[in-house]
Amino acid sequence: MPESQLLAVAVIGVLVITLAIALVGAVGFRLLRSWRELGTDAERATYTTLHSASLAGKHLRSGLEPVGAAKASKHLRGLLGCEAVAITDVAGVLAWDGAGEAHRDGALGLAAKVLATGRTQVFRDAGTHQAELKEAVVAPIRAGSRIVGALVAYAPRAKPGLVRATSEVADWVAAQVELAELESSRTLLMEAEVRALRAQISPHFIYNSLNAIASFITTDPAKARDLVLEFADFTRYSFRRHGDFTTVAEELRCIEHYLKLERARFGDRLQVTLTIAPEVLSTVIPFLSLQPLVENAVRHGLEDKEGIGRIAITAQDAGAFVEVTIEDDGVGIEPEHLRAVLAGHSDSDHVGLRNVDSRLRQVYGDDHGLVVDTAPGAGTLITMRVPKSQPRPDLGS
C-alpha cells in the first residue's frame, strides 16, 4: 500500500471513532450505495477504510476478548494494509490474522516491551525470519490510564505511514475497549453520562460533515482531503480521553476546525468574526464549553434563516473574569422555550446549550451559568463569564 494511503488511514482512524459510535449503520448503507459512483483508487480506498472500521467495531463491543479480537483482526489488517496483525492483552496473544501464524507466540515478546513503556515501537527485526514479516510496529492499547494490550503490525518494511496508522488504529481499538468497560460497570456508566453531557457531538453535524466531504471527492479531491483532516482534528480533540478542563486557545482551535467543516456546507452564507484578547487564551475553562454554543448558533440560529448568517465570537478580559460572547443574527428562540431548555424540561435538540449551562453551574456555582438574550427573529446572544482562578480542586483536572 502506498505511504500516502497509509497516512490517510491514520487520519481516518480518528474519524472512525465517531462513526462507530453514532452512524455505523447509516454510513455503512450510504457507502455501499455510493460504491459504484466512486472512480479513482483513492476514493475507493477511503470508503473501504470506513467500511472495514465499522465492521471491526461490531466485534469489539465486548471489549478485548479472544472471539471478538479474532474477528476484528481481519478488518484491522485491511485498514493497515500490512502482511499480518496480532492483538494482545497483557497476558497473551488474543488474535492473529495474515501470514506466518506460526510466529503468533512471538508477538507477545514484542508487545511486552511496549506494554512496559507505553510507547509505540518499531522493531527492525521482528524475529520471524520471514521476509514479508521482517519488521513490526507495536502500539499500546490504552483504557484510561491503563495499558490493556497491544496492536502489532508486520510488514517487509515499517514505513512512517504504517507507524502512524498503527498508532491511530490502536487508539481507536482503545476507544472501543473503553466503551465496553463503561457498559459493564454501573459506576463507570454514571461517569460516562457526565462525559456525554460535556462531550456530546451532534450526529446531525457528523452526517452533514460526511456529506460535505463526499460532495467534494470528485469535484475537488484536494479540498475533500483537507476536510477529512479538519474532521479528524475535530474528533481527536472532542473524543480525547483525559482532562475535564482545557484552555480558551484549545477550545477556539476546536471551533476553527468545526467552522471550516460548516463552511464547506454553507459556503459564503456563513460569515464569522472573532475578536479575541491575547491575554485570555491561557485561561482554563471546562472542556467543550464553547464549541457546543457555536454549533447551537449555526444549527438553530442560521440553518433555517434565508440568506447570509453572521456569527460574532468575542473573548475579553473582565477583571477577575474572562467574558466570552457568541452572537448570531439567526431566527432566535422563544423565551419560554429557552427557559424550558435550560431547566431540563424540554426534549429539544438544544441539548448543547443545556449541557454547557449545567456544567458551568456545577464547576463555578449557580452565579456562573450562561446568560442568553434572544427573541424570535432577533438572533441570540450568549454570554459566558468564567473566573480566572482555577476551579474547585475537588472537581479534578
Side-chain angles (χ1 to χ4, degrees):
M1 178 182 285
E3 184 171 339
S4 61
Q5 232 170 296
L6 286 171
L7 292 173
V9 169
V11 173
I12 296 299
V14 180
L15 180 151
V16 164
I17 296 174
T18 311
L19 300 179
I21 296 173
L23 292 173
V24 169
V27 174
F29 174 78
R30 185 173 182 82
L31 296 179
L32 290 173
R33 186 181 65 182
S34 303
W35 180 258
R36 295 179 182 176
E37 301 174 5
L38 303 176
T40 69
D41 290 342
E43 291 164 2
R44 289 195 178 96
T46 298
Y47 279 86
T48 297
T49 296
L50 292 172
H51 185 55
S52 295
S54 67
L55 292 175
K58 296 176 183 179
H59 302 303
L60 294 171
R61 289 175 182 170
S62 297
L64 213 56
E65 50 87 27
V67 174
K71 293 179 179 179
S73 61
K74 174 183 177 181
H75 303 295
L76 298 182
R77 185 166 70 89
L79 280 173
L80 295 170
C82 56
E83 298 300 321
V85 159
I87 301 174
T88 82
D89 59 13
V90 296
V93 178
L94 300 175
W96 178 288
D97 186 80
E101 190 167 1
H103 303 294
R104 176 187 179 114
D105 292 341
L108 185 60
L110 300 179
K113 301 175 183 178
V114 171
L115 295 173
T117 64
R119 298 177 179 274
T120 298
Q121 293 189 35
V122 177
F123 295 89
R124 296 303 178 188
D125 182 359
T128 63
H129 306 294
Q130 288 185 229
E132 67 270 29
L133 307 178
K134 177 177 175 55
E135 300 186 4
V137 181
V138 186
I141 299 172
R142 299 176 182 272
S145 60
R146 298 174 297 113
I147 300 175
V148 297
L151 178 66
V152 187
Y154 292 88
R157 182 185 173 196
K159 298 180 180 179
L162 179 61
V163 176
R164 183 177 177 187
T166 303
S167 181
E168 295 289 358
V169 172
D171 285 345
W172 178 79
V173 172
Q176 312 311 304
V177 173
E178 287 189 325
L179 288 172
E181 291 183 350
L182 290 176
E183 291 174 356
S184 67
S185 167
R186 176 179 292 271
T187 300
L188 290 178
L189 276 174
M190 293 175 65
E191 294 178 4
E193 185 176 352
V194 173
R195 291 192 184 105
L197 289 176
R198 68 180 174 84
Q200 186 174 90
I201 296 178
S202 167
H204 178 87
F205 163 68
I206 298 168
Y207 183 79
N208 286 333
S209 296
L210 292 173
N211 272 342
I213 293 170
S215 71
F216 286 107
I217 285 178
T218 55
T219 59
D220 192 344
K223 186 175 182 64
R225 285 193 295 271
D226 289 342
L227 289 174
V228 167
L229 291 172
E230 295 293 344
F231 192 89
D233 288 338
F234 173 78
T235 53
R236 189 197 308 273
Y237 175 81
S238 301
F239 281 89
R240 72 181 193 181
R241 296 186 296 279
H242 62 279
D244 293 331
F245 297 92
T246 186
T247 63
V248 171
E250 289 178 338
E251 198 78 358
L252 289 173
R253 194 172 298 117
C254 173
I255 290 172
E256 179 184 6
H257 297 313
Y258 167 79
L259 288 173
K260 285 182 179 178
L261 290 161
E262 291 290 31
R263 284 196 187 99
R265 186 163 64 99
F266 285 95
D268 294 336
R269 280 188 57 209
L270 177 59
Q271 296 186 3
V272 181
T273 60
L274 290 92
T275 306
I276 311 297
E279 61 268 24
V280 308
L281 291 175
S282 60
T283 302
V284 174
I285 59 175
F287 177 62
L288 278 182
S289 57
L290 297 183
Q291 185 277 330
L293 303 182
V294 176
E295 181 172 349
N296 182 80
V298 172
R299 184 178 177 189
H300 301 292
L302 306 182
E303 198 166 74
D304 295 331
K305 177 186 176 181
E306 294 184 2
I308 293 174
R310 296 177 176 84
I311 296 176
I313 303 170
T314 69
Q316 59 186 354
D317 192 314
F321 299 88
V322 168
E323 184 173 279
V324 181
T325 64
I326 296 169
E327 183 174 13
D328 68 74
D329 63 353
V331 298
I333 310 172
E334 286 280 358
E336 287 296 327
H337 181 56
L338 174 64
R339 280 191 284 272
V341 168
L342 294 179
H345 299 152
S346 172
D347 293 331
S348 165
D349 49 7
H350 287 272
V351 63
L353 204 61
R354 161 63 180 166
N355 291 347
V356 172
D357 180 68
S358 175
R359 179 121 174 100
L360 290 173
R361 293 176 187 275
Q362 176 191 0
V363 174
Y364 301 112
D366 286 337
D367 292 339
H368 297 286
L370 295 175
V371 177
V372 184
D373 296 319
T374 186
T380 302
L381 170 64
I382 301 175
T383 302
M384 183 176 86
R385 285 172 61 88
V386 178
K388 291 179 181 176
S389 58
Q390 294 296 313
R392 297 198 310 270
D394 59 301
L395 291 169
S397 62

